[in-house]
Amino acid sequence: LLQCSYVRVASATSSIRSMAWPGAGALRDVHTPVLLSNSPAASWRALRVWDVPYMRETFEELVGVWHASHRPLLAYFRHDSDFGMRAPPGVPTAEAAVQEEVRSARSFFDGAARGELLYCSHDLLSLGRAADDVSALSEFDVHDAANHLVDPIVWLGSRRMGALAHYDTSHNVFVQVAGRKRLWLWPPSAHRELLLFPSHHSLHRQSGRLVQALGAAGAEASAASAAAARAGGIELTLAPGDVLFVPPFWFHQTEAIDDVA
């Protein structure tokens, strides 16, 4: 199951380890990212059938699809907060159009194939019968409490789209089901180098840096990427079947490598 196709370490002191699934409760005591083998996801039908033709025909209507005119562009929205948007370097915010759309699955996957810049965060259980392809979600409950529920989210992105560097306060288990995705990871101590937005800003858990590569040399290395590498960043690629645990407060950035991931 665990077939991480490519791992590049950005600094000599950074590493990511692999371990067998220890049980969700034991992950509370794991304080660094780990690649997990033999997890409950190994039995998911989704790992066998979620290719683009299947998802295109089976997924229900997708709500909250972000359609961007430029890449990279981060749109962050919460219904109980402010709207925040960051434009790519050199692109005025007024020209960096982003639209939130409702799309059919066919429209989303066809648009991705045409090269449209699309990103979607969708509740798994709202995908219709495709949600039945993902089972044993309770076995991922890190908190192991009767009043706590696993929050299963499907992240879909067209090639080169993803989330810029940020941290979450929850335990994250990434199960790569379709396509390949590049991730960058940094420890909580990297917050100074990543230049977080102020605490009352709508992007308050987001980095102000645009990290394009770790370990790049010479003219290829942007100041942001060089600073992120100094902060102990790790760059790796997840292939279908890979499972990654990211503890709370670890920074992570994602980017789809294939047409859809």
Side-chain angles (χ1 to χ4, degrees):
L1 170 66
L2 193 65
Q3 297 178 347
C4 194
S5 57
Y6 168 62
V7 175
R8 183 170 70 189
V9 177
S11 70
T13 59
S14 299
S15 63
I16 187 166
R17 61 193 177 98
S18 300
M19 63 183 294
W21 177 257
L27 290 175
R28 293 196 300 269
D29 299 320
V30 177
H31 303 297
T32 58
V34 292
L35 289 163
L36 298 166
S37 60
N38 302 319
S39 78
S43 64
W44 287 3
R45 184 172 181 268
L47 288 174
R48 302 190 302 274
V49 302
W50 277 25
D51 56 16
V52 168
Y54 178 87
M55 293 187 289
R56 182 181 181 274
E57 297 299 325
T58 308
F59 282 9
E60 294 287 340
E61 191 172 63
L62 299 174
V63 178
V65 175
W66 295 101
H67 185 190
S69 62
H70 295 78
R71 185 270 172 204
L73 183 143
L74 175 72
Y76 174 78
F77 177 75
R78 281 179 48 192
H79 292 287
D80 59 347
S81 183
D82 296 328
F83 178 85
M85 189 180 78
R86 180 169 22 164
V91 177
T93 302
E95 298 178 12
V98 60
Q99 303 174 55
E100 184 181 12
E101 304 173 344
V102 177
R103 284 200 173 198
S104 68
R106 289 185 178 187
S107 173
F108 182 93
F109 289 104
D110 291 350
R114 292 192 298 268
E116 292 184 27
L117 300 176
L118 302 170
Y119 193 62
C120 179
S121 168
H122 205 282
D123 174 36
L124 168 69
L125 302 181
S126 298
L127 286 179
R129 62 188 178 91
D132 296 335
D133 299 330
V134 177
S135 58
L137 288 174
S138 62
E139 296 184 40
F140 288 92
D141 188 352
V142 174
H143 295 277
D144 195 27
N147 61 352
H148 186 271
L149 298 176
V150 174
D151 185 18
I153 299 175
V154 176
W155 300 92
L156 291 169
S158 59
R159 187 183 299 271
R160 300 188 69 205
M161 290 298 287
L164 299 187
H166 66 283
Y167 72 86
D168 296 319
T169 58
S170 57
H171 299 81
N172 283 319
V173 179
F174 290 90
V175 180
Q176 192 63 26
V177 177
R180 294 170 300 151
K181 184 171 291 185
R182 182 176 293 111
L183 278 86
W184 295 263
L185 302 166
W186 298 269
S189 60
H191 65 93
R192 289 187 176 86
E193 292 286 4
L194 291 177
L195 298 179
L196 295 185
F197 284 90
S199 60
H200 293 291
H201 195 283
S202 59
L203 299 175
H204 67 280
R205 291 186 290 107
Q206 314 284 336
S207 168
R209 290 196 184 278
L210 170 61
V211 180
Q212 296 172 297
L214 293 176
E220 297 178 0
S222 69
S225 299
R230 289 195 302 272
I234 304 168
E235 182 178 340
L236 68 153
T237 296
L238 295 182
D242 290 341
V243 180
L244 174 70
F245 172 70
V246 178
F249 301 103
W250 270 75
F251 295 93
H252 47 284
Q253 175 173 305
T254 66
E255 180 183 68
I257 297 175
D258 296 321
D259 285 347
V260 176

